[in-house]
């Protein structure tokens, strides 16, 4: 059991490192750091707090849905399965409606870079509380970070920690 928990802990740490290496998250961190110690600490606390909250919520749902706890919740499990099915159907319809391309047009890519630069510029001028909120929102993250957080939560749920752990 201890070996399985060690393996799960290593996987969770690796998922966390991968989630932290997003270009926007890294650039935002580098932008906030010279803005002052208090802003940098607030941004980091918001970012890490959001990651912990997101992972905790996913672990709670995972335990409730799989029945890994003492009580199984079949109604919650069925609702989660239906919600996931609806999300997947909506995503399939969205993707099917637009052609898949491997290269974005240069104008779309330039607009995206300009928006990212504007966001980073604004982030360096924010107040402390606003920086904490920005860190929190970036900590919840986009699709990559949410997928990696889901993988980490799944690893935790499948490791079947006991009540004491």
């Amino acid at each position: 059991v201890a070996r399985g928990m060690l393996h799960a802990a290593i996987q969770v740490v690796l998922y966390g490192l991968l989630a932290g290496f997003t270009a926007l998250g890294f650039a935002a961190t580098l932008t906030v750091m010279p803005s002052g110690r208090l802003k940098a600490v607030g941004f980091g606390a918001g970012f890490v707090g959001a990651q912990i909250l997101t992972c905790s919520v996913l672990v709670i749902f995972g335990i409730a849905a799989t029945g890994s706890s003492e009580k199984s919740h079949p109604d919650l499990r069925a609702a989660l399965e239906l919600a996931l099915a609806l999300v997947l159907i909506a995503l399939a319809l969205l993707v099917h409606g637009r052609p898949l391309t491997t290269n974005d047009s240069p104008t779309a890519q330039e607009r995206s870079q300009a928006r990212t630069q504007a966001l980073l510029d604004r982030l360096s001028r924010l107040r402390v509380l606003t920086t904490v909120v920005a860190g929190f929102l970036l900590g919840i993250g986009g699709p990559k970070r949410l997928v990696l957080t889901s993988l980490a939560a799944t690893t935790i749920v499948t490791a079947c920690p006991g009540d004491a752990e």
Side-chain angles (χ1 to χ4, degrees):
V1 172
R3 188 173 183 186
M5 289 298 293
L6 178 64
H7 181 70
I10 290 170
Q11 282 183 320
V12 168
V13 168
L14 290 176
Y15 291 142
L17 288 174
L18 279 174
F21 288 139
T22 60
L24 182 59
F26 189 67
T29 302
L30 291 178
T31 300
V32 171
M33 286 175 69
S35 299
R37 209 174 275 174
L38 192 58
K39 286 182 183 179
V41 169
F43 180 82
F47 190 90
V48 171
Q51 281 284 275
I52 290 170
L53 179 68
T54 304
C55 189
S56 298
V57 167
L58 290 172
V59 166
I60 290 167
F61 277 129
I63 289 173
T66 60
S68 296
S69 65
E70 295 169 4
K71 297 186 236 174
S72 181
H73 302 282
D75 293 337
L76 178 61
R77 185 176 184 168
L80 287 173
E81 288 173 355
L82 283 173
L84 180 61
L86 291 174
V87 167
L88 289 175
I89 289 170
L91 184 63
L93 291 173
L94 180 72
V95 169
H96 182 66
R98 96 172 90 127
L100 295 176
T101 58
T102 56
N103 294 330
D104 288 334
S105 66
T107 57
Q109 200 171 36
E110 290 170 0
R111 284 193 308 254
S112 175
Q113 288 175 351
R115 280 193 311 262
T116 301
Q117 187 60 43
L119 172 74
L120 294 175
D121 289 341
R122 279 181 275 164
L123 190 58
S124 67
R125 295 187 307 262
L126 295 176
R127 288 182 269 186
V128 175
L129 182 60
T130 314
T131 307
V132 172
V133 172
F136 187 83
L137 293 174
L138 280 172
I140 292 172
K144 177 185 173 186
R145 191 167 297 115
L146 285 174
V147 167
L148 289 170
T149 305
S150 299
L151 287 172
T154 303
T155 302
I156 292 168
V157 170
T158 57
C160 295
D163 289 338
E165 295 163 329

